[in-house]
Every structure is written in C-alpha cells, then in structure tokens.
Amino acid sequence: MYEIIRIHTLEDARLDAYTRLTERELRCVLEPEKGIFIAESLKVIERAVEAGVEPLSFLLGERWLEQILPLLDSLETIEPVPVFVAPMELMEKLTGFSVTRGALAACRRPPLSDAGSFLNSLVDRAGGRPVRVCVLEGIVDHTNVGAIFRSAAALNVDGVLVSPTCCDPLYRRAVRVSMGTVFQVPWTRIGSDARHWPGDGFEALRRAGFASAALALTDDSVSLDDPALAEHERLALFMGTEGEGLCSRTIEESDVTVRIPMAHGVDSLNVAAASAVAFWQLCPHTSNAYHYRPGRYA
C-alpha cells in the first residue's frame, strides 16, 4: 500500500529525513530504537525492497513515478507508505542530485544477528561446501566499504563482518557505491567494542570453526595463490584500514598472513581493489553461462 503526496517545497517537515538530518540523527533521532537510512537511486531502492527492507517513505522526482509504480504495487504494508512526488526542478535543489537522480527512500534499518548465530547460519546455508567471509577492520572510507560489498556480491562471498572500528555499511555513500548489493550480501557486526577488538572477534570465528587469513604486507606472508588457502573449509579474510592496514594484534592472532604478489615495485592496492582480487582467488566461481540483465533503471 502507498499514498502519493504532491509537494512543492523542500521545507516541508515531512522531508526532514531527506533534507536536514545528519547520518547520526537518522540513526538516533527519528527512530531511536532501530534507526533509519536513506537509499538513493531507483536501482538501489529496488534492491533494498526486493531484499525485504521496510521503506518508511519515498521522495521522487516526477519523471520517476511511472517507472517505480510496479515496485510500489508490490509493497505489502499495513499502513500506506507516503510517496512524496516533487517537480524535477525542485529535486535538482537537493545536494547530490547528480547521484540520486531524483529518487530516494527512507528505510528502516534491518536487525543484525550476533556474530556467532550469523556465522552458523552461513555454514548451514552452504550445505557442506567451503564458506568464505570477509572481516572489515577499521575501514573509514565509505566508498571503499561500498565497493567491497559490490565485489563480495559479484564474486560469491558468503558474508561480511564489520568490526567496531569500521564505518557503517548503511551510510548513504556506502549504500550508493555498493549499488544496493549491501542488501544482497549477508552482513553483521562482529566484536563488542574497540577496546576488546580483535580478541572477541577471533573468539566468535573460532567457535564457528573458521580459520583466519590476514591480508598484510609482512615478510612471512604467503602468496594469495598458495594452494593451502583453498583447502580451508571455513575461511575468514581480514581486510584492514586504508594506509595502515590491519592492526598488529589482528595479524598476530590470524592463522596465516597473505599478500598479493605484485610487479614493478608496487607494494599494495587500494583495499577495495585488493578485496576483489582475493575474492576471485578464494571464492567459488560462477559459471560464465549466466544471462546478462541490464539494470531496470537508467
């Protein structure tokens, strides 16, 4: 169910989530118990709704209304969801219009499982095949987090775990850069807080039977194509923050340290690029026989 509401000013208080509240306020003020986030662009909104995320409202430029109607018709809600529709010239006044292209949705944050239950559910779902998860430690660039999620979705990562020191995967830019794949790849938080990290994270992984591989530039790092890595039935790949990489304790507690062999004196890749290389090497490959389906929304 939905209700179309025409608006003629961005000063309307009902649009505060889109126009005035910060990311922190979205998490803590409007919905203090669960929080909300903003999905930008029709492609991202479509993936969020198809993944079962609950939309609280939409804000659309007039030109997008007809295209989104099939998605709106699929909503199964008790109360009508407000669909605010504005002239395109009004939408162009919104910061980031060139990226959102005039389509946004305010959505309720889905609940996150505890790390132990999450890991066990991935193992059960795998049905005996190898399981691969990625642990993001201290990554503070939302673009990198979004790009890692997109690679994880494309290259068959089973799940992503986010450390207490890593930025929010549902931050606007992270969601946008991920092209909505943050709703397709299972993820949750791991570790109680920064003071106890990474000890409690490793404890959860070990209880679930996972070996750990730290991607780090050390002299005793093994090559990413080392056959022994592929033999692990359950493997967690640790990716570290931009510049400094993983913290020393994480490297020390990992079962193995891994690096990507590089030529021409290049010592490292951007963490998002490195994640894609690692996922391709260590995760099950998808058949090239799939049918290419262009995005529904241009």
Side-chain angles (χ1 to χ4, degrees):
M1 298 174 59
Y2 60 92
E3 177 186 7
I4 295 177
I5 303 171
R6 304 283 174 176
I7 60 170
H8 303 284
T9 175
L10 295 177
E11 299 304 313
D12 191 318
R14 294 173 295 181
L15 304 182
D16 280 357
Y18 301 102
T19 60
R20 280 174 286 281
L21 295 185
T22 65
E23 296 285 342
R24 185 193 66 81
E25 290 170 331
L26 286 172
R27 290 195 299 269
C28 305
V29 177
L30 284 188
E31 295 284 342
E33 292 184 357
K34 297 183 179 179
I36 70 173
F37 69 92
I38 302 297
E40 302 180 344
S41 85
L42 286 178
K43 182 186 289 293
V44 171
I45 293 170
E46 177 190 37
R47 284 181 169 162
V49 173
E50 288 181 347
V53 171
E54 178 187 354
L56 300 175
S57 68
F58 297 85
L59 174 59
L60 307 170
E62 183 71 47
R63 64 175 290 193
W64 296 116
L65 179 58
E66 183 176 352
Q67 293 192 51
I68 203 174
L69 283 177
L71 187 66
L72 296 176
D73 289 335
S74 71
L75 296 177
E76 297 180 358
T77 57
I78 298 175
E79 299 293 332
V81 177
V83 180
F84 301 106
V85 180
M88 293 304 295
E89 56 267 26
L90 187 63
M91 292 296 292
E92 289 175 6
K93 295 180 181 180
L94 276 176
T95 301
F97 173 81
S98 61
V99 179
T100 68
R101 305 188 71 180
L104 305 100
C107 303
R108 193 182 305 280
R109 285 175 170 265
L112 296 178
S113 304
D114 69 87
S117 299
F118 176 81
L119 291 166
N120 289 333
S121 70
L122 295 182
V123 171
D124 291 342
R125 189 180 309 167
R129 66 165 174 77
V131 180
R132 302 289 181 255
V133 299
C134 178
V135 182
L136 306 183
E137 179 186 273
I139 299 177
V140 296
D141 188 303
H142 297 94
T143 299
N144 282 335
V145 169
I148 290 171
F149 267 89
R150 191 172 182 182
S151 293
L155 300 173
N156 260 343
V157 174
D158 291 285
V160 176
L161 297 113
V162 180
S163 79
T165 56
C166 184
C167 66
D168 182 10
L170 293 184
Y171 187 89
R172 284 196 193 195
R173 185 166 181 81
V175 172
R176 185 169 67 235
V177 171
S178 82
M179 293 301 291
T181 55
V182 68
F183 309 118
Q184 296 176 310
V185 180
W187 70 275
T188 196
R189 292 275 179 182
I190 185 171
S192 56
D193 55 50
R195 292 176 304 161
H196 297 94
W197 179 262
D200 51 359
F202 278 102
E203 183 179 348
L205 288 164
R206 288 167 183 152
R207 280 201 305 264
F210 279 79
S212 54
L215 267 72
L217 302 173
T218 65
D219 289 338
D220 59 352
S221 295
V222 303
S223 172
L224 181 63
D225 62 359
D226 188 319
L229 292 173
E231 295 176 2
H232 289 286
E233 289 299 315
R234 303 174 191 176
L235 183 64
L237 305 173
F238 279 76
M239 308 281 176
T241 187
E242 301 83 352
E244 296 180 1
L246 295 168
C247 72
S248 57
R249 277 196 62 198
T250 298
I251 296 173
E252 292 168 2
E253 291 205 34
S254 294
D255 297 301
V256 62
T257 308
V258 181
R259 64 182 173 190
I260 302 168
M262 301 184 195
H264 302 295
V266 177
D267 61 356
S268 65
L269 296 175
N270 164 274
V271 65
S275 73
V277 175
F279 298 160
W280 169 256
Q281 178 66 31
L282 296 175
C283 298
H285 290 182
T286 297
S287 167
N288 197 42
Y290 70 91
H291 177 65
Y292 174 69
R293 183 175 71 90
R296 180 182 300 175
Y297 305 116

